[in-house]
Amino acid sequence: LGSITAKILRAMNKPVLLVRAPAGEIAFNQKKLIQRILVPLDGSKIGESALPYAADLARALGAEVILFQVVEPVRIVGGYDRVLSGAMPPGDEVLRADASTYLEETARLLKDKPIKTSSKVVMGSAAEQIIDYGEANQIDLIAISTHGESGIGRWVFGSVTDKVLHAGSIPVLVVKSALP
């Protein structure tokens, strides 16, 4: 991002839509600029802050909302199970099932509006998976939340949002959460 863009993103208290390149002429003429909106969620209220904006856009444009959660694989250090027996963290499949349940519950709220909604849970590093999924699945917009509390350089948007802003090529709607 250029320094002016970064300053605007940091200074704004309202959602900011960052578009890196102009839309294709065919999409513009067909008024189909945004058909698929990816909303990365992490199960938190802060993470859900972009959801109402994505839902409003989807309803107005007839777009689909894809609810997306990345589960970081559990890594257990050798000997951990002996030191804290009975306190083992849940395994990958439990985390994946919990994420699927959360996304299904969230999707039900949107389908009642009615908004075409789907969901996807993947394993890996959050920012990389968001970018990879978006590029591989013809996502037109990523609507992502951030706490925006820190004034320290690249941490202003949180590490995942920062990476999506810098490494991705898909337009991004950044919503700063009003929640603490």
Side-chain angles (χ1 to χ4, degrees):
L1 298 174
S3 62
I4 293 173
T5 303
K7 286 178 186 176
I8 290 169
L9 285 167
R10 279 194 298 273
M12 294 301 293
N13 290 325
K14 302 287 184 191
V16 176
L17 178 60
L18 175 65
V19 179
R20 289 184 178 79
E25 188 174 333
I26 294 171
F28 187 74
N29 289 336
Q30 293 177 350
K31 297 181 181 165
K32 297 283 187 180
L33 297 175
I34 299 176
Q35 295 179 25
R36 304 187 82 214
I37 303 170
L38 185 69
V39 183
L41 299 170
D42 62 4
S44 72
K45 292 299 178 193
I46 289 174
E48 293 172 1
S49 296
L51 198 51
Y53 297 96
D56 287 347
L57 278 171
R59 191 173 26 259
L61 301 172
E64 175 186 9
V65 172
I66 299 100
L67 304 176
F68 190 77
Q69 188 164 4
V70 180
V71 177
E72 301 253 353
V74 175
R75 299 291 176 244
I76 300 175
V77 178
Y80 176 79
D81 54 340
R82 282 181 256 131
V83 175
L84 296 172
S85 79
M88 294 295 291
D92 291 345
E93 290 311 310
V94 172
L95 294 174
R96 184 187 285 273
D98 289 348
S100 291
T101 300
Y102 164 69
L103 293 182
E104 287 168 14
E105 291 169 359
T106 305
R108 263 194 292 277
L109 299 173
L110 295 178
K111 287 179 181 175
D112 290 343
K113 300 237 178 201
I115 296 170
K116 183 178 179 188
T117 308
S118 61
S119 61
K120 181 74 174 169
V121 176
V122 299
M123 302 292 288
S125 169
E128 291 172 13
Q129 292 298 322
I130 292 165
I131 293 165
D132 290 349
Y133 184 87
E135 291 174 356
N137 291 279
Q138 294 136 359
I139 298 300
D140 302 303
L141 177 68
I142 297 172
I144 193 165
S145 303
T146 184
H147 56 75
E149 294 173 348
S150 173
I152 303 172
R154 68 182 187 91
W155 295 303
V156 160
F157 307 111
S159 61
V160 172
T161 303
D162 185 66
K163 288 177 187 172
V164 170
L165 283 168
H166 285 87
S169 60
I170 297 169
V172 180
L173 175 64
V174 179
V175 178
K176 287 187 184 178
S177 174
L179 298 172

